[in-house]
Structures are given as C-alpha cells and as structure tokens.
Amino acid sequence: MPELPEVETVRKGLNQTTLNQPIVGADVLLDSAIAHPCPVEFIAQINNTTINHWYRRGKYLLAQLQAPSQPSNPIFTSKDPIETQTSDGGWLGVHLRMTGQLLWCTSDQSLPKHTRVRLFLPEERELRFVDQRTFGKIWLVPPHLAVMDVISGLRELGPEPLSDEFSPEYLATKLRRSQRPIKTALLDQSILAGLGNIYADEALFLARIQPTTPSCRLSPDQLNRLYTHIVAVLQQAIADGGTTIRNFLNVQGVNGNYGSHAWVYQRGGKPCRVCQTPITKIKLSGRGTHFCPMCQPQLNCDLP
C-alpha cells in the first residue's frame, strides 16, 4: 500500500502537471471505484471544474476544485486543517489503497488493463486512475461541504508525522498506557497519519527498538530516538520518490528509489547492513515485520 512518502510523491507530481487546467470530461470504467456520488453524477459534476491545488492528509490525496467561471482561490492556510475547509468548486478525494496509481498520460497512450477512471484535460492529456486490486476509491465532495463530511475516514486521523503536532511528548502521551507492540501502535492511523509498514520497520530499526516491545515500556530516550527517526526516514523516502515494491509508480510512471537502500524492510534473511546478522521477518498483527535481532533493541550499535 502506498504510504505517506509515496502519496506525497504523487501529490507533488500532480501539482506539477494538472493545475489550472479544466477537466473537460471523465469516464468511469469501474463503478465501484467512485465512492461518492454515483458515477453518472460524478461525471456531470466534475466536468469543467479546474484543479487549484492538490493536498495530502495521511494517505489521502485531496484536490481543491475551482467552479467554472470562478477565480482561482486556494483557501488553505497553515492554521486551517483540511477537514474544516469548503470550496466553491468542491473537492476531489483519492485513496490509492493497496495498488492504486494516478498516471499523467497522453490520450494516445495505450490504456492499462486495470484503468478504472479517466479524467480528460486539454491538449489530449488525461489523468488515469489505475488499480489492479480495486480497493482504491475516489470521492467528489460537493461545493460548500467540508471534506470530512463526505470522506469520513479523515475524521479518524491523528497528526501528520512531519507537522508541529508530532513530538516525543505526543508519543509519550499516546503510548504510556498501551500494551500493544510498538509496531502495531505506529500503524494505527488515529495515532499517526500516513505512517505504514515500510517506514515503521525502518524507523524502529534506526531507533534500535524491537517491534514487539510493548508501547508503554519505551523509555524517554527511546521515544526521542523513535520520533527523530520517524521524521528522518519519511523525509529521506520523500526525497527518494518513495518505495516501489510491486505497484507504486509516480504520476510519470517512474518507480520510487528508497527500497534500494532500505535497512530492513523486505530484507528478511539478508545480512544486516550494520552487523551482518540475518534480518528476521515475523508476522505481527497480521503484517510482515522486519528487524535485526542483534541491533534491536541493543543500544550500542553504531547507527547513524
């Protein structure tokens, strides 16, 4: 599933390719890809709107739409959370889920087998939603409604890991009474929005914390390290364009590069990059989890 760095990579690409161009038509090839409204209304309502800007909240992509004949007027400020905003042109919301892709194409490019929705733009360009597993969803939020009134999952999200709301103190408050393994807690989107399996494994390795450690047993020093490495890993992954394991592509169809130098993720049985001990892979709360049994939780490994 695309995580925060992958979704942020897509967001940046969409802002480089799709802004200030009218959507001159749409085609829904799989009705279930449209979560709201019905496909016929989706096509009618999105026609002739213009994308002012793409935003990200957790793993959601959100485009502020401009109504026909209305001036461009992005309305977010740093103090206005996405969930409370309305827009004269409504909002386009996308969740890629496991295998979703948004691809910026010319209209003469062959249609991928699993194309679910097409948005047509000027100069024979289009934005295609491709999704092999069909779990991804698209919403069209009507004008003058807040995004969270239609996309209910936004109500459940915790703070962004790269925001001022996230801190070691925040982690301490959220985890101090939790018996859940720390890896499981980090995947809870109500605690931290956007963090997923790949980067939880990576941050825990760099913080020298065993993924199965009960959350409430983390020391202040461990919480500080964990905070630092969550932020650093996400920033590095964004700089690398995310991670491609199977399906992730940016809007130009290019793979992400982070996976080529991942510390532990998808490296089960391979030697640790620090101590050469084989990386262990286990199932934890139903998710594949990777760690080094020597470096985690030992405190004396020479890690960056």
Side-chain angles (χ1 to χ4, degrees):
M1 175 187 291
E3 301 176 19
L4 187 156
E6 289 74 48
V7 180
E8 181 66 10
T9 297
V10 172
R11 184 195 71 82
K12 290 181 176 181
L14 291 169
N15 277 334
Q16 293 170 354
T17 54
T18 66
L19 299 191
N20 304 316
Q21 303 174 65
I23 297 171
V24 297
D27 188 14
V28 176
L29 305 178
L30 181 69
D31 286 357
S32 62
I34 305 299
H36 186 275
C38 70
V40 172
E41 292 181 3
F42 174 87
I43 292 171
Q45 292 175 21
I46 204 167
N47 195 40
N48 292 321
T49 61
T50 299
I51 296 171
N52 271 345
H53 199 79
W54 287 90
Y55 299 87
R56 180 191 55 76
R57 181 71 173 98
K59 300 175 187 178
Y60 290 86
L61 287 160
L62 300 160
Q64 183 193 16
L65 300 177
Q66 172 190 333
S69 304
Q70 294 295 319
S72 178
N73 183 30
I75 58 176
F76 289 158
T77 72
S78 60
K79 296 183 179 179
D80 290 330
I82 284 174
E83 293 92 330
T84 64
Q85 298 299 333
T86 61
S87 172
D88 289 342
W91 299 91
L92 179 66
V94 182
H95 200 303
L96 301 175
R97 299 283 166 83
M98 291 185 68
T99 59
Q101 302 167 342
L102 285 173
L103 302 178
W104 179 242
C105 307
T106 57
S107 296
D108 60 358
Q109 288 179 253
S110 60
L111 209 62
K113 177 180 178 181
H114 302 292
T115 303
R116 308 307 182 187
V117 179
R118 303 168 72 187
L119 300 180
F120 303 109
L121 291 98
E123 300 180 359
E124 301 298 317
R125 303 303 298 254
E126 58 184 85
L127 184 63
R128 296 173 178 172
F129 179 58
V130 180
D131 186 16
Q132 179 180 352
R133 298 288 297 275
T134 71
F135 295 135
K137 297 296 178 185
I138 294 179
W139 296 259
L140 186 61
V141 180
H144 309 299
L145 280 183
V147 178
M148 66 182 297
D149 289 342
V150 174
I151 308 177
S152 58
L154 290 169
R155 301 172 187 166
E156 303 168 5
L157 297 181
E160 292 286 324
L162 302 180
S163 72
D164 292 340
E165 296 176 73
F166 180 52
S167 66
E169 293 75 24
Y170 171 83
L171 277 176
T173 299
K174 287 293 182 179
L175 301 177
R176 63 189 175 192
R177 293 187 177 90
S178 176
Q179 295 287 340
R180 289 190 296 178
I182 182 57
K183 166 72 180 291
T184 303
L186 291 178
L187 297 183
D188 184 342
Q189 298 296 290
S190 70
I191 292 178
L192 205 55
L195 190 66
N197 207 37
I198 299 172
Y199 305 108
D201 278 359
E202 294 288 283
L204 286 166
F205 172 77
L206 289 168
R208 305 190 292 276
I209 298 170
Q210 175 101 201
T212 56
T213 304
S215 300
C216 61
R217 295 186 184 176
L218 295 181
S219 69
D221 180 60
Q222 287 175 312
L223 289 170
N224 279 318
R225 292 203 309 268
L226 182 56
Y227 162 79
T228 297
H229 289 297
I230 287 173
V231 172
V233 162
L234 292 176
Q235 289 174 333
Q236 182 62 58
I238 291 170
D240 289 340
T243 300
T244 297
I245 301 300
R246 295 183 182 88
N247 299 96
F248 173 70
L249 299 172
N250 69 16
V251 297
Q252 307 288 359
V254 178
N255 289 345
N257 294 319
Y258 181 87
S260 63
H261 51 260
W263 292 96
V264 291
Y265 188 76
Q266 293 285 62
R267 300 193 67 245
K270 295 180 180 179
C272 173
R273 298 188 191 277
V274 173
C275 71
Q276 306 305 306
T277 301
I279 298 298
T280 296
K281 180 181 179 181
I282 63 171
K283 280 281 188 179
L284 186 60
S285 302
R287 306 298 300 274
T289 297
H290 306 78
F291 66 95
C292 173
M294 181 65 67
C295 294
Q296 296 165 262
Q298 289 189 4
L299 302 178
N300 59 354
C301 277
D302 185 18
L303 289 173

